[in-house]
């Protein structure tokens, strides 16, 4: 079994560690975190060092693949870390075994798909995408790199979601619409037309608030 290390030892990092091990994807060896002292125990696994230690610990065989446990509050950091290590260290992927992912789907590296998600035919998840619990993405829809979907987001067919988006819990996106890069939606937002301006949208129908 491959050995996994995770950047970030907070809640999301520990959630990745939990599912990666419990669902038997990886042997988890620990975290890299600039805000914890090495050997600090975060949940069940130790902090191995700061981000600067990643390359040397990979060369030393400490781990085989890396995931990024930085969530919706710091999506720019999530992107920066992915870009820093892509091509230097193999990025991992965890798709929970309870998720239904059609064989025609294409998933990038660094992707984390939580329990109960459903991805129908021809769905594409670009690199470093995170789908939280029970998201449903209908056929022929695409999610851009570094984008985070909160639990129970519902995406209809032929939808394009841009890069670095933060889609709030229970957001609904109707079919044949496009969301630009950097869109954020509040919980329960209902998006019924394409959104071109980056920023935060809430309500039904979605309205731009800032
Ligand atoms: C596993 C996990 O937990 S993953 C994380 C899941 N979490 C989420 O999805 C969080 C979603 N967050 C929200 O919905 C938040 O309310 C946000 C981000 C939209 C806004 O938060 P804040 O910046 O604190 O804004 P604030 O609460 O001041 O609201 C601003 C305005 O938008 C309205 N508003 C805020 N959220 C919503 C919403 N979800 N739907 C409708 N209106 C909303 C407020 O009523 C307020 O309106 P007003 O100016 O007329 O009074």
């Amino acid at each position: 079994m491959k050995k996994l290390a995770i950047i970030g030892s907070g809640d999301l990092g520990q959630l990745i560690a939990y599912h990666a091990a419990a669902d038997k994807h990886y042997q988890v060896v620990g975290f890299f975190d600039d805000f914890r002292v090495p050997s600090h125990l975060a949940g069940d696994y130790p902090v191995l060092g700061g981000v600067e230690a990643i390359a040397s610990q990979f060369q030393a065989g400490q781990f085989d693949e890396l995931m990024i446990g930085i969530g919706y509050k710091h999506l720019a950091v999530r992107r920066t870390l992915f870009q820093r290590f892509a091509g230097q260290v193999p990025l991992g992927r965890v798709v929970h075994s309870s998720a239904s992912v059609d064989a025609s789907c294409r998933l990038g590296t660094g992707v984390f798909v939580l329990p109960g998600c459903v991805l129908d035919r021809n769905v594409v998840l670009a690199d470093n995408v995170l789908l939280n619990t029970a998201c449903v993405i209908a056929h022929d829809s695409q999610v851009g790199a570094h984008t985070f979907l909160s639990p129970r987001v519902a995406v209809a067919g032929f939808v394009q979601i841009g890069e670095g988006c933060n889609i709030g819990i229970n957001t609904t996106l109707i079919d044949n619409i496009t969301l630009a890069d950097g869109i954020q939606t509040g919980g329960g937002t209902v998006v019924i037309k394409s959104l071109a301006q980056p920023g935060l949208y809430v309500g039904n129908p979605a309205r731009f608030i800032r």
Side-chain angles (χ1 to χ4, degrees), residues 97-181:
S97 61
S98 67
S100 170
V101 179
D102 189 77
S104 59
C105 296
R106 285 184 286 128
L107 276 54
T109 57
V111 161
F112 182 31
V113 176
L114 275 88
C117 290
V118 178
L119 278 61
D120 201 359
R121 186 164 186 249
N122 293 335
V123 165
V124 177
L125 304 182
D127 292 337
N128 207 21
V129 162
L130 188 152
L131 301 188
N132 229 300
T133 322
C135 288
V136 173
I137 306 188
H139 64 92
D140 299 290
S141 286
Q142 305 193 350
V143 182
H146 323 295
T147 281
F148 182 103
L149 270 58
S150 296
R152 257 201 192 285
V153 169
V155 181
F158 299 108
V159 171
Q160 310 267 347
I161 303 176
E163 295 191 0
C165 294
N166 173 9
I167 308 300
I169 186 166
N170 218 27
T171 291
T172 295
L173 308 179
I174 71 160
D175 52 301
N176 289 291
I177 60 172
T178 298
L179 272 57
D181 298 346

Side-chain angles (χ1 to χ4, degrees), residues 12 15 72-73 114 130 132-133 148-151 153 166-171 184-190 200-204 207 209-210:
L12 179 58
L15 190 65
Y72 66 96
K73 289 182 182 159
L114 275 88
L130 188 152
N132 229 300
T133 322
F148 182 103
L149 270 58
S150 296
V153 169
N166 173 9
I167 308 300
I169 186 166
N170 218 27
T171 291
Q184 180 182 2
T185 64
T189 303
V190 178
L200 174 60
Y201 296 77
V202 296
N204 177 8
R207 65 186 163 89
I209 61 167
R210 63 173 185 259

Side-chain angles (χ1 to χ4, degrees), residues 21-82:
D23 204 37
K24 300 185 170 43
H25 296 269
Y26 292 100
Q27 176 195 345
V28 176
V29 296
F31 303 100
F32 291 99
D33 194 321
D34 287 343
F35 301 97
R36 298 275 184 206
V37 291
S39 82
H40 168 90
L41 204 58
D44 295 331
Y45 304 100
V47 173
L48 305 168
V51 167
E52 285 301 329
I54 288 175
S56 60
Q57 293 211 23
F58 174 68
Q59 298 298 335
Q62 183 79 20
F63 67 94
D64 303 304
E65 295 187 358
L66 185 68
M67 294 277 292
I68 300 177
I70 309 292
Y72 66 96
K73 289 182 182 159
H74 304 286
L75 283 185
V77 177
R78 183 177 176 86
R79 174 199 293 262
T80 301
L81 287 167
F82 182 91

